[in-house]
Amino acid sequence: MKDQASFMTFKRALSPAVNTNLNVTPLVSEIIDRDGYESLTFALITGALTDANAVYSVLVEDAEESAFNVTNAAVVDEYLVGTEVLAAFTFASDNACRKIGYVGNKRYVRVTITPTTAADAGDTPLAIIAILGNGHIGQQVNPPV
């Protein structure tokens, strides 16, 4: 069996949090710096969804500079592994995992999850982990830095 863990680094993109979902406020991940890595996958994780009717869209953005709000743009589909539609979820997606990969050439990447319909009541627990792989320096340390 091959070792996978030594060749990946995990970064917190969105700490586990509960979106009370009474409005359509987007949840924006941390900006992930891809410097030194050839691959990036975002793992989106939901908990037990107690909302009534929410629907969530997913948007991946990239930028050349860490001043993300200056140069960011939506990632074109050819630079995504999977689609934003397949990474999206609804109120029926209890305890689910979704993934979306990035294969573009920009250094900085983030994900935004937007409730496109506000729930009547309830909570939506969410988290996002960024998985960086194929590092230029070989095996990765544990815990990740």
Side-chain angles (χ1 to χ4, degrees), residues 11-19 27 29-30 43-47 124-129:
K11 299 285 183 179
R12 176 186 59 84
L14 181 67
S15 293
V18 173
N19 179 5
L27 298 168
S29 80
E30 298 289 324
L44 292 71
I45 306 153
T46 68
T124 303
L126 302 169
I128 303 174
I129 298 171

Side-chain angles (χ1 to χ4, degrees), residues 44-128:
L44 292 71
I45 306 153
T46 68
L49 306 178
T50 60
D51 55 13
N53 63 353
V55 175
Y56 294 85
S57 66
V58 173
L59 172 67
V60 182
E61 297 173 288
D62 60 6
E64 295 286 354
E65 303 167 4
S66 61
F68 207 83
N69 291 328
V70 176
T71 61
N72 63 301
V75 174
V76 295
D77 290 346
E78 69 184 270
Y79 296 123
L80 295 175
V81 178
T83 68
E84 292 162 321
V85 171
L86 290 175
F89 54 95
T90 72
F91 61 92
S93 303
D94 288 329
N95 303 307
C97 292
R98 302 283 192 268
K99 65 182 176 180
I100 190 159
Y102 176 79
V103 294
N105 59 2
K106 295 191 179 166
R107 181 171 170 178
Y108 301 97
V109 186
R110 74 177 179 192
V111 172
T112 300
I113 298 174
T114 303
T116 57
T117 349
D120 297 327
D123 296 327
T124 303
L126 302 169
I128 303 174

Side-chain angles (χ1 to χ4, degrees), residues 14-34:
L14 181 67
S15 293
V18 173
N19 179 5
T20 57
N21 223 4
L22 299 176
N23 57 39
V24 290
T25 303
L27 298 168
V28 182
S29 80
E30 298 289 324
I31 297 167
I32 303 302
D33 185 350
R34 296 180 49 248

